[in-house]
Amino acid sequence: MSRLIQNIKNNSLLIVSVIFISGLLVLKPQFLLAFLIINLFIITIHGSLQLWWALKKETSERSKETLINLITFQKKSNNSIDSPEANQLYDKNKTGNKSPKISIHIPAYNEPSDILIATIQSCLDIDYPNFEIIVLDNNTPNQETWLPVRDFCSNKKNVFYYHIDNLQGYKAGALDVCMELTNPDSKYIFIVDADYRVSTNCLKTAVEIAENQNADLVQFPQDYYSNGKNSALIEEYAHYFRVFAKGGNYNNSVLATGTLSFYKREALEKVGGWKCNSITEDAEMGLKFQEKQLKSVFCEKTIGKGLLPFSIKDLKIQRERWVYGNMQCIGKLFNSSEISLRRKLSLMVQLTSWVNFLNFSLLSALLSIMLFPLIPSIYFYQALTITASSLWVFISFKFILFGISTNFKPKLHLKTWLINLVFTGLNTFCWMGVLQGKSKPFERTSKFLINTNQNLECSILGLGLFTVSAMLALMENVILASLFLLPAIFIFSGQIILKQQLNSRNTAIPNFKRS
């Protein structure tokens, strides 16, 4: 609640919107109806573009060949992050006995030592003859946190550990320093987040794809440890990769997603390294690659698994960072003269995968209830009818999209969809500061605070929709009341499921042992 109040105080555009909509409701309600219809149109177009992206077919033989090659790695893998197929293909196709040198970069800030050590150890276990590991700890204040990691790395061959205080630029700044420290013989750079464990054949898989496809970037999906009880939350995360990232293969518009990203080093140097202006450095790097006409490929194979956020608070911090940073990238995308209009459309669909545009409609509904004695009844009911239509268009598109990503498996589909609806309010309002040109600090997801008993937070949006529904019920408009009540029920149900998923999530954490 305090975070919401603080966001409202810092969002002058939201305050201006409330004043503007209130004025229209009282003075010019017919103009408000026009704005609501436009908002409904925008929501419909956005949902249609996302559905088109999820369903569109391959348009060239090159795309088909690429996908066939990538999907080959998935067969018979049984969701394991280790697969013998990668070794066989690598050994079959590599040139002579030469293996290009790879530099693995692991940026870390205030990571629990056992978790980071387990990540480093998984990289040491990689079955590949020619690689180095650079671990860069930036700004971790407590020596008890980073000294055990330094000691672990001190006697490991080809592992280089650095601790730097007062490093600017958050994760992007750390990755820039890693580039400077990279062995000049390295052909590729592989980014691994500090809480990920990678498969033993991950580099062979990545090299095979990069060399065969002449790719400057190969992006793999983020995946997470599961105990079978938190599968719906994992599926909610996987939705982006199964619907949006996958579609990028069809017209070379794949974006990087922060970890398990395999870059050609000269391509990173060509775009000027990791200097960026958004809090999603990965998405901005993807745009830089598009501007330079560099080739990017997405492979569906899982080559590593990480840790989910431990709490609802951390989950929301992470989601807000993704939404805000991607919307920052939208401005850069529209200002670019080096990306074609068609590719801009593809990139916009990916960048807005977490975003929705219900702002105007939801504010109008809540303000209509607050000001209803001052609004002519005909405009009051028309405004709420259009608002309900926008809400249900959004909900319906999400239902179909999550059905596609879960193959319409009834129980999993329903749970995943409901979890996503919990973030509707956040995804609607948190990015409005971008329109004002406001920057936002990078907030990391903590791996320290393990809350095994999540408190169920009441959704402000859910309460607002319930209030609108109750007021309409008192006015004996049962049909319209139900159109607002059901979304509120969906959101509250999603919160219950999310709470259960997070409470069971801790039992999915693997044992982190020092070697």
Side-chain angles (χ1 to χ4, degrees), residues 463-478:
L463 289 174
L465 294 175
F466 183 82
T467 301
V468 173
S469 174
M471 292 296 291
L472 288 169
L474 290 174
M475 298 174 188
E476 299 183 350
N477 195 323
V478 178

Side-chain angles (χ1 to χ4, degrees), residues 353-368:
S353 60
W354 305 105
V355 180
N356 68 64
F357 301 98
L358 286 165
N359 322 57
F360 197 87
S361 293
L362 292 178
L363 285 175
S364 297
L366 296 173
L367 292 170
S368 294

